[in-house]
Amino acid sequence: MDRLVAAYGPDVDELCRACVAHFPDVQGAGVAVMTGTAQQVRYASDAVSERVEQLQLLLGEGPCRDAFDMGTPVLADDLQAAAWRERWPAFAGAALQAGARAVFALPLRAGTLGVGVLDLYRDSPGVLAGQDLADALDFAAAVTDLLLAEALPDGDSSDDYDAGTGSYLAQRAVVHQATGMISVQLEVGLEEAFARLRAHAFAAERELDAVAADVVARRLRFDELDGDPALGAGDRDGAR
């Protein structure tokens, strides 16, 4: 782990690119920063990884969510297998359509504190085991260290953070603010408000951050949507 940070730190993106390059059969990687029910994409190496991360965020299911909740790796070696389709009925099919056949979710943890998840994907079925799994866990530990360093006010990577590598924190704040506003508009709890926000973004095929920004800017009100916000999202001009 220390050698990885020394070789590729303090930049999370560079470390993730090195991780993908290390595994010949892995096509991409994504990092989700998570706190409880909140989740934000920190890094995605390509369009498929970005979609895999967004699907898990919008649908509320998938290996990333399970790995974070359980604190252990979740290694889906073939998303076409019945066991994974039954476990994630919405995510599995959507991820396959996006181009991911296997997804390996590695929790990012500092002691008992869950920081997020590192997801690796393959475009063909296959396992992550033995030395490859050990190496992947080393990369996950190194990513955790760099994410924690970014969060420190006086951390070594503060310059990079100010320059934009920490922008995911600002994006997450917008999502949280939008969730609170939806909670007030619909007179529901925060969990339901966040679920409505995710469902709206998924139905409208938009990024969660973009929908949240519309809510915060008051271009979109969930109490003014026709019918159920989770179902009618794509029919409103303000949601485009």
Side-chain angles (χ1 to χ4, degrees), residues 117-133:
V117 174
L118 169 65
D119 287 321
L120 307 176
Y121 88 88
R122 291 173 49 125
D123 60 9
S124 61
V127 299
L128 183 69
Q131 187 59 50
D132 282 345
L133 177 57

Side-chain angles (χ1 to χ4, degrees), residues 179-226:
T179 300
M181 293 173 67
I182 295 168
S183 174
V184 172
Q185 291 169 10
L186 299 181
E187 298 181 353
V188 298
L190 291 174
E191 267 196 52
E192 182 175 347
F194 183 55
R196 296 289 189 96
L197 179 63
R198 291 186 312 182
H200 186 115
F202 182 72
E205 297 183 349
R206 300 185 68 214
E207 300 294 335
L208 187 67
D209 297 338
V211 176
D214 280 350
V215 173
V216 172
R218 294 176 172 79
R219 293 187 292 266
L220 173 65
R221 289 185 62 94
F222 272 58
D223 56 354
E224 294 178 354
L225 291 174
D226 294 333

Side-chain angles (χ1 to χ4, degrees), residues 63-118:
C64 176
R65 184 78 254 174
D66 288 1
F68 181 79
D69 290 341
M70 297 186 302
T72 57
V74 176
L75 310 174
D77 55 350
D78 187 354
L79 290 176
Q80 284 191 352
W84 300 118
R85 284 182 168 273
E86 291 171 5
R87 184 166 175 172
W88 309 305
F91 169 77
L96 284 165
Q97 187 175 11
R101 184 69 181 268
V103 179
F104 311 117
L106 310 171
L108 307 177
R109 299 183 68 82
T112 60
L113 173 66
V115 176
V117 174
L118 169 65

